[in-house]
């Protein structure tokens, strides 16, 4: 299995290289040269596998000969053993043909643990083999930071720097990052928004001369393909429960950077019977504007009650565009870079192709709270605000459909109490392992929104580490 860049100027790379760099050197994102196909008989033989067993079968298709089967099996087993639910990703029925897939039973209570617990272990495996140190630099709108730090705080060969928008993540999210024990992890509060953080990260990656000799940066936000790979597994895990009835399921996905739903798109390409993929956005609705009007343009970022979806631009959309443009890297680059000047559009034919796979729905804060309230009243089940956008989008887009729709529950409601309280409901308690979070001591550094400030911080810190 080889990976190519969406910008077309990087030679094909192995999985190991892709994991260890994240962003391609030409500024593009790595995608598989060709998506592995899984025939129906093989898929059916996976039906009764436990989560880790299924993860092994799917992930080995993407890691290729970078890692021996027995090593991968051990890593995957250890990864999903830390999840608190024995099923790892339990499916919960709400109404008729309406389900939520609970992806919040990992250490930091969001779906990002599925990928980042794996990524930490894979990094350690490859870096130990090479006896090489790396610095991880990442931007987070909240959940990635803590999940990445939890995934890597034991890594011997990794130092980590996580940027997050100062005062724009929930208190629980901030504390989950700033209270993590581990001298190799650093929380950096940037005086800006998430896109500012992301821009600094991108610039640092394209100019790594500031790092000490021998070091390189690794990206762990969803531009790292290994994260997408890990997320494909739960689409299979959930949909396999319905294959007997020959029912194609739809998935509704609370979407920000388009990483999670792109994993669903790959699952569909692999052969999983998926009917529709529903993009749920909050009021930061660039993807909904594209799907509903064929207009892809920048608008002011607005803080919402579902902060992990507060983005102006969805980085992973580039991976989908590469496919939509039949791997024409020039067009991808023109579309993505042209966004800073003009509204971007695709041809009518391409737009129709996109609409044949994706539905979309924009859910504002008020409707999010209403949905939390409605679902609680109807089913005595508490949704977090991100998941609520997904449930609402599913109801809007699939009204009248007979096929099951599975809404990805991307976070535990206790992480986002503000929305729950606004919905008029009592704040849920944090699970036991985080019960004393509000009493733990915090450690973080506030930095101006500037590339130089971030570079200087990393330089100093790596000097101390040496
Ligand atoms: C990250 C995140 C999302 C958005 O996922 P993308 O892969 O960026 O589209 C949605 N909900 C929660 C809770 C998240 O943490």
């Amino acid at each position: 299995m080889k990976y190519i860049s969406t910008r077309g100027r990087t030679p094909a790379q192995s999985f190991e290289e892709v994991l260890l760099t994240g962003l391609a050197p030409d500024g593009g994102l790595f995608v598989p040269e060709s998506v592995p196909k899984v025939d129906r008989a093989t898929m059916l033989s996976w039906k009764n596998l436990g989560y880790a067993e299924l993860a092994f079968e799917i992930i080995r298709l993407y890691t290729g000969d970078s890692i021996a089967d027995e090593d991968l099996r051990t890593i995957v087993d250890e990864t999903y053993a830390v999840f608190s639910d024995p099923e790892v990703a339990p499916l919960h029925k709400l109404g008729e043909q309406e389900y939520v897939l609970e992806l919040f039973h990992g250490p930091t209570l969001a779906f990002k643990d599925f990928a980042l617990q794996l990524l930490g272990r894979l990094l350690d495996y490859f870096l130990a083999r090479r006896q090489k140190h790396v610095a991880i630099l990442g931007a987070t709108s909240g959940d990635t930071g803590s999940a990445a730090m939890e995934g890597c705080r034991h890594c011997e060969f990794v130092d980590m720097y996580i940027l997050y928008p100062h005062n724009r993540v929930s208190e629980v999210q901030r504390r989950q990052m700033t209270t993590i024990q581990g001298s190799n992890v650093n929380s950096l509060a940037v005086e800006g928004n998430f896109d500012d953080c992301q821009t600094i990260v991108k610039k640092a990656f394209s100019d790594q001369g500031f790092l000490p000799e021998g070091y390189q940066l690794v990206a762990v936000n969803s531009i790292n393909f290994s994260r997408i790979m890990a997320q494909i597994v739960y689409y299979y895990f959930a949909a396999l429960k319905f294959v007997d009835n020959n029912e194609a399921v739809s998935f509704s996905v609370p979407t920000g950077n388009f990483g999670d739903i792109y994993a669903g798109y790959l699952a569909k390409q692999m052969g999983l019977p998926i009917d529709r993929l529903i993009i749920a956005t909050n009021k930061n609705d660039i993807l909904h504007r594209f799907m509903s009007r064929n207009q892809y343009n920048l608008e002011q970022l607005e803080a919402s009650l579902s902060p992990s979806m507060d983005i102006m631009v969805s980085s992973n959309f580039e991976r989908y565009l590469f496919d939509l443009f039949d791997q024409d890297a020039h067009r991808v680059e023109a579309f993505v870079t042209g966004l800073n000047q003009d509204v971007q559009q695709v041809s009518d034919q391409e737009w129709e192709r996109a609409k044949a796979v994706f539905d979309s729905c924009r859910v504002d804060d008020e409707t999010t709270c209403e949905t939390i309230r409605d679902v609680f009243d109807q089913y005595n089940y508490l949704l977090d605000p991100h998941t609520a956008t997904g449930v609402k989008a599913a109801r809007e887009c699939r009204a009248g459909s007979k096929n099951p729709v599975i809404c990805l529950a991307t976070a535990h409601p206790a992480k986002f109490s503000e929305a729950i309280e606004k919905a008029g409901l009592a704040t849920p308690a944090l699970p036991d392992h985080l019960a004393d979070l509000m009493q733990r001591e915090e450690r973080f550094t506030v930095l101006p929104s500037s590339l130089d400030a971030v570079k200087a911080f990393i330089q100093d810190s790596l000097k101390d580490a040496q």
Side-chain angles (χ1 to χ4, degrees):
M1 167 63 85
K2 290 280 189 194
Y3 293 83
I4 53 175
S5 163
T6 52
R7 301 286 171 95
R9 292 189 303 273
T10 302
Q13 305 279 318
S14 69
F15 175 78
E16 182 174 350
E17 282 300 329
V18 167
L19 173 77
L20 290 178
T21 49
L23 197 68
D26 59 12
L29 306 187
F30 284 114
V31 291
E33 203 166 38
S34 67
V35 176
K37 302 283 181 211
V38 176
D39 61 40
R40 189 167 165 85
T42 307
M43 179 184 77
L44 291 176
S45 74
W46 291 348
K47 190 174 156 58
N48 295 315
L49 297 183
Y51 194 90
E53 293 170 310
L54 178 65
F56 168 75
E57 295 295 342
I58 292 172
I59 290 168
R60 66 195 283 274
L61 301 175
Y62 286 90
T63 51
D65 51 19
S66 278
I67 176 164
D69 273 357
E70 66 266 29
D71 294 340
L72 180 63
R73 202 180 272 283
T74 308
I75 288 172
V76 167
D77 282 348
E78 283 173 9
T79 298
Y80 297 105
V82 304
F83 283 63
S84 63
D85 191 286
E87 276 213 68
V88 182
L91 191 65
H92 181 92
K93 186 170 168 47
L94 290 180
E96 196 52 42
Q97 299 289 57
E98 184 181 50
Y99 297 83
V100 290
L101 184 65
E102 294 184 348
L103 302 176
F104 51 72
H105 297 288
T108 71
L109 313 181
F111 82 88
K112 294 186 169 78
D113 289 325
F114 278 82
L116 285 161
Q117 284 294 317
L118 179 70
L119 188 145
R121 288 172 173 81
L122 286 173
L123 272 181
D124 230 16
Y125 173 84
F126 288 118
L127 292 172
R129 207 158 75 174
R130 295 182 174 201
Q131 287 294 302
K132 182 180 163 67
H133 285 266
V134 298
I136 288 178
L137 175 61
T140 182
S141 54
D143 295 332
T144 307
S146 55
M149 289 167 155
E150 272 295 339
C152 293
R153 71 192 164 101
H154 298 301
C155 293
E156 204 185 323
F157 295 88
V158 174
D159 285 278
M160 179 177 270
Y161 306 88
I162 295 294
L163 314 188
Y164 65 91
H166 190 37
N167 293 331
R168 291 192 196 214
V169 300
S170 78
E171 182 170 10
V172 171
Q173 283 185 312
R174 187 190 72 237
R175 286 182 162 273
Q176 280 188 302
M177 290 187 271
T178 58
T179 63
I180 285 178
Q181 305 287 320
S183 56
N184 64 332
V185 297
N186 301 277
S187 306
L188 305 179
V190 171
E191 292 170 319
N193 62 33
F194 172 60
D195 290 280
D196 298 330
C197 296
Q198 199 159 246
T199 304
I200 292 175
V201 168
K202 279 193 176 162
K203 286 190 177 148
F205 270 87
S206 60
D207 169 22
Q208 300 192 16
F210 69 97
L211 293 169
E213 182 79 29
Y215 269 89
Q216 75 180 58
L217 291 179
V218 174
V220 298
N221 46 3
S222 52
I223 60 181
N224 193 308
F225 185 80
S226 68
R227 285 189 50 190
I228 311 276
M229 166 189 83
Q231 291 166 201
I232 295 170
V233 178
Y234 48 71
Y235 286 90
Y236 267 88
F237 189 68
L240 280 171
K241 298 192 194 307
F242 299 88
V243 287
D244 283 347
N245 306 335
N246 251 324
E247 281 181 304
V249 297
S250 294
F251 284 94
S252 183
V253 186
T255 295
N257 242 335
F258 204 75
D260 205 5
I261 197 161
Y262 179 72
Y265 176 72
L266 286 184
K268 188 171 162 71
Q269 304 285 96
M270 290 168 73
L272 187 67
I274 293 178
D275 180 19
R276 312 284 296 169
L277 289 164
I278 301 164
I279 302 167
T281 76
N282 61 26
K283 57 192 166 188
N284 297 294
D285 63 345
I286 181 167
L287 292 167
H288 178 62
R289 294 198 300 275
F290 174 74
M291 290 309 307
S292 57
R293 283 184 260 150
N294 191 6
Q295 283 182 7
Y296 197 71
N297 67 305
L298 296 179
E299 271 181 16
Q300 201 60 43
L301 189 88
E302 284 186 76
S304 81
L305 289 175
S306 41
S308 300
M309 295 156 63
D310 287 352
I311 46 91
M312 239 173 7
V313 189
S314 303
S315 333
N316 284 288
F317 196 56
E318 176 164 344
R319 291 191 154 107
Y320 176 64
L321 288 172
F322 186 64
D323 206 28
L324 190 65
F325 295 162
D326 293 323
Q327 306 208 338
D328 183 339
H330 288 290
R331 276 195 68 201
V332 172
E333 185 151 20
F335 189 100
V336 173
T337 55
L339 183 63
N340 293 317
Q341 286 90 48
D342 283 314
V343 178
Q344 300 296 307
Q345 292 193 303
V346 299
S347 72
D348 283 348
Q349 207 185 7
E350 287 159 347
W351 190 42
E352 291 304 327
R353 252 172 74 198
K355 285 196 294 185
V357 178
F358 297 102
D359 281 323
S360 74
C361 182
R362 170 194 200 270
V363 183
D364 63 19
D365 280 351
E366 202 185 329
T367 315
T368 300
C369 291
E370 264 168 38
T371 308
I372 293 172
R373 182 84 221 187
D374 285 352
V375 168
F376 187 77
D377 289 346
Q378 275 179 293
Y379 304 114
N380 195 28
Y381 186 83
L382 195 55
L383 301 174
D384 106 287
H386 305 80
T387 310
T389 66
V391 170
K392 179 65 184 175
R395 290 178 174 182
E396 289 290 315
C397 296
R398 303 311 291 151
S401 158
K402 291 200 179 57
N403 288 10
V405 56
I406 299 170
C407 307
L408 301 192
T410 50
H412 189 289
K415 263 188 120 155
F416 298 96
S417 51
E418 189 189 348
I420 310 288
E421 284 154 18
K422 287 216 163 106
L425 297 168
T427 312
L430 284 163
D432 287 349
H433 75 276
L434 290 170
D436 65 343
L437 187 68
M438 296 302 174
Q439 283 79 51
R440 293 184 197 167
E441 195 186 327
E442 293 190 76
R443 192 169 61 88
F444 63 95
T445 306
V446 181
L447 291 178
S449 176
S450 121
L451 177 62
D452 287 339
V454 171
K455 281 182 176 173
F457 184 92
I458 295 175
Q459 271 171 340
D460 280 354
S461 138
L462 288 178
K463 231 180 272 151
D464 293 346
Q466 278 179 329

